[in-house]
């Protein structure tokens, strides 16, 4: 645990499982106070918080719906008023609704765009001004290799993640003078629930490292970008994908 991180509060969205849980645990291990977000997965989020505390870390839970702008604004504003500005935001939560584009429903398109891309605005925008006033902080978004290179069956998901990459780069320019870094991590194929039905026998041969990544490998990159040591890194997309691109 790093003493310089004690007292620094970090919000991790989608902390109830997979990559988000790994990031929340890794951040707590480094001494950050973790505000672990969930929407529907309360029991999983509680389990993550129990793990954090069992390991000597500290944190709390927060619930809101990323696609509901009013819900995000109300709860995040209330949290900030009570606790002050965050040191870090890890905008990780997202969904996928894969389908070939000709057969993709409007509902599948809207659900992914509203959660993944609108979620960038809904979560980060209410939290930016307090960070600007303190003139320091870290913002990390989690995109995907699909947003970098596109992927068949994921036109909606690729569009949302590519939008996150563009928004991240633009926000980095706006906030650089405030000493707030804004970076993106683009995972490849990672061992989470999201790939449980994927044809891995066809996918793995296309990955130079011939394996799926682990959530902890994404968490390691996130924890580094949260650190003081990453203070001169901003506007970057860090690809963690086993060498796909």
């Amino acid at each position: 645990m790093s003493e310089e991180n004690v007292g620094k509060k970090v919000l991790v969205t989608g902390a109830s499982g997979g990559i988000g849980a790994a990031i929340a645990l890794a951040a707590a291990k480094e001494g950050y106070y973790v505000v672990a977000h969930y929407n529907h997965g309360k029991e999983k989020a509680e389990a993550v918080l129990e793990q954090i505390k069992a390991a000597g870390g500290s944190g709390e839970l927060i619930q809101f719906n990323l696609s509901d702008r009013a819900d995000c604004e109300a709860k995040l504003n209330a949290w900030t008023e009570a606790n002050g500005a965050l040191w870090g935001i890890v905008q990780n939560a997202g969904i996928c609704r894969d389908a070939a584009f000709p057969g993709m429903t409007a509902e599948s398109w809207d659900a992914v765009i509203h959660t993944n891309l609108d979620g960038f605005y809904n979560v980060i925008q209410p939290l930016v001004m307090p960070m600007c006033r303190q003139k320091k902080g870290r913002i990390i978004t989690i995109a995907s290799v699909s947003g970098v290179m596109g992927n068949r069956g994921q036109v909606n998901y690729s569009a949302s993640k590519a939008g996150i990459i563009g928004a991240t780069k633009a926000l980095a320019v706006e906030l650089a003078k405030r000493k707030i870094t804004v970076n993106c991590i683009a995972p490849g194929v990672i061992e989470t629930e999201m790939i449980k039905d994927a044809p891995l026998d066809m996918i793995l041969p296309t990955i130079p490292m011939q394996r799926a990544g682990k959530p902890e490998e994404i968490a390691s990159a996130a924890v580094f970008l949260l650190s003081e040591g990453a203070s001169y890194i901003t506007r970057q997309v860090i690809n963690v994908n086993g060498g796909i691109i």
Side-chain angles (χ1 to χ4, degrees), residues 212-232:
K214 299 181 183 300
E216 291 78 14
E217 291 172 311
I218 307 302
S220 293
V223 167
F224 171 67
L225 291 174
L226 284 170
S227 73
E228 293 285 0
S231 61
Y232 200 54

Side-chain angles (χ1 to χ4, degrees), residues 43-243:
E43 290 185 0
K44 291 181 179 179
E46 288 175 337
V48 171
L49 186 59
E50 286 177 10
Q51 286 182 268
I52 286 172
K53 292 182 176 180
S58 59
E60 65 182 272
L61 299 182
I62 187 170
Q63 185 278 332
F64 54 81
N65 181 351
L66 263 73
S67 63
D68 186 332
R69 186 162 297 158
D71 188 39
C72 291
E73 184 177 16
K75 290 176 180 173
L76 291 171
N77 283 343
W79 189 93
T80 303
E81 287 172 11
N83 300 281
L86 290 159
W87 163 258
I89 304 166
V90 183
Q91 176 60 3
N92 160 76
I95 63 170
C96 64
R97 296 285 187 274
D98 295 353
F101 190 68
M104 183 176 291
T105 65
E107 181 183 11
S108 292
W109 176 271
D110 289 344
V112 170
I113 297 299
H114 290 330
T115 300
N116 297 0
L117 186 53
D118 290 352
F120 176 98
Y121 178 90
N122 295 347
V123 172
I124 297 175
Q125 200 276 339
L127 299 171
V128 162
M129 279 308 299
M131 292 180 80
C132 286
R133 293 188 193 103
Q134 72 179 2
K135 295 185 179 179
K136 58 184 177 180
R138 304 281 186 266
I139 297 173
I140 302 166
T141 61
I142 306 297
S144 169
V145 65
S146 293
V148 177
M149 60 184 289
N151 193 27
R152 66 184 303 164
Q154 290 191 318
V155 174
N156 51 357
Y157 188 73
S158 294
S160 70
K161 295 299 188 176
I164 287 171
I165 290 170
T168 299
K169 290 184 174 183
L171 185 59
V173 177
E174 291 190 16
L175 300 183
K177 289 184 178 180
R178 300 283 185 174
K179 298 182 180 180
I180 300 169
T181 67
V182 189
N183 291 290
C184 181
I185 298 172
V189 179
I190 307 298
E191 294 176 356
T192 66
E193 285 290 310
M194 194 171 283
I195 68 163
K196 66 179 182 179
D197 297 321
L200 292 180
D201 57 330
M202 298 174 61
I203 295 172
L204 295 184
T206 70
I207 302 171
M209 293 191 75
Q210 302 280 292
R211 69 172 177 88
K214 299 181 183 300
E216 291 78 14
E217 291 172 311
I218 307 302
S220 293
V223 167
F224 171 67
L225 291 174
L226 284 170
S227 73
E228 293 285 0
S231 61
Y232 200 54
I233 301 173
T234 197
R235 207 184 184 190
Q236 302 305 306
V237 180
I238 311 299
N239 292 289
V240 186
N241 59 31

